[in-house]
């Protein structure tokens, strides 16, 4: 998979999603199944590298991340736009997660 570089402008965001492809979720999509070789080829890792600082906002939220309240990971959220659960990482120039 090729590297992806994104830049967000004011009020832009990326909706919650998985960074892997579950072959069962694409059972009727032959093209997608072939592109991931029926699950044998998948995303190994996702890395965030922040290129600049922001004055507010811009966090990356991991709603199912382990916390003290949910040491084995949080439940599936009802609302993926609610960033009050899980772990939010604030962007800072040079930070890598």
């Amino acid at each position: 998979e090729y590297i992806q570089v994104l830049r967000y402008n004011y009020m832009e965001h990326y909706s919650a999603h998985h960074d892997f492809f579950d072959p069962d979720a694409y059972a009727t999509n032959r093209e997608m199944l072939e592109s991931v070789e029926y699950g044998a080829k998948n995303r190994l890792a996702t890395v965030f590298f922040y290129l600049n600082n922001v004055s507010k906002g811009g966090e990356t939220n991991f709603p199912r991340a382990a916390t003290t309240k949910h040491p084995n990971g949080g439940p599936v959220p009802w609302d993926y736009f609610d960033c009050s659960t899980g772990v939010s990482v604030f962007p800072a120039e040079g930070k890598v997660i």
Side-chain angles (χ1 to χ4, degrees):
E1 182 175 3
Y2 295 106
I3 192 169
Q4 298 176 34
V5 178
L6 301 175
R7 178 183 180 177
Y8 298 104
N9 291 309
Y10 181 69
M11 296 300 290
E12 289 184 328
H13 70 278
Y14 208 92
S15 296
H17 62 280
H18 296 286
D19 275 0
F20 67 91
F21 300 98
D22 179 356
D24 291 338
Y26 297 95
T28 61
N29 187 332
R30 183 183 175 113
E31 183 178 333
M32 177 61 81
L33 288 173
E34 288 176 355
S35 74
V36 296
E37 297 178 12
Y38 297 88
K41 183 172 133 184
N42 219 319
R43 186 171 290 171
L44 178 64
T46 297
V47 177
F48 292 85
F49 184 87
Y50 295 98
L51 301 176
N52 60 347
N53 296 314
V54 296
S55 57
K56 72 176 193 173
E59 294 91 350
T60 299
N61 180 257
F62 300 92
R64 298 190 68 192
T67 62
T68 53
K69 183 176 179 182
H70 299 286
N72 295 317
V76 175
W78 290 98
D79 177 6
Y80 279 101
F81 288 100
D82 175 9
C83 294
S84 66
T85 62
V87 173
S88 291
V89 178
F90 191 78
E93 184 176 354
K95 182 186 280 186
V96 178
I97 57 170

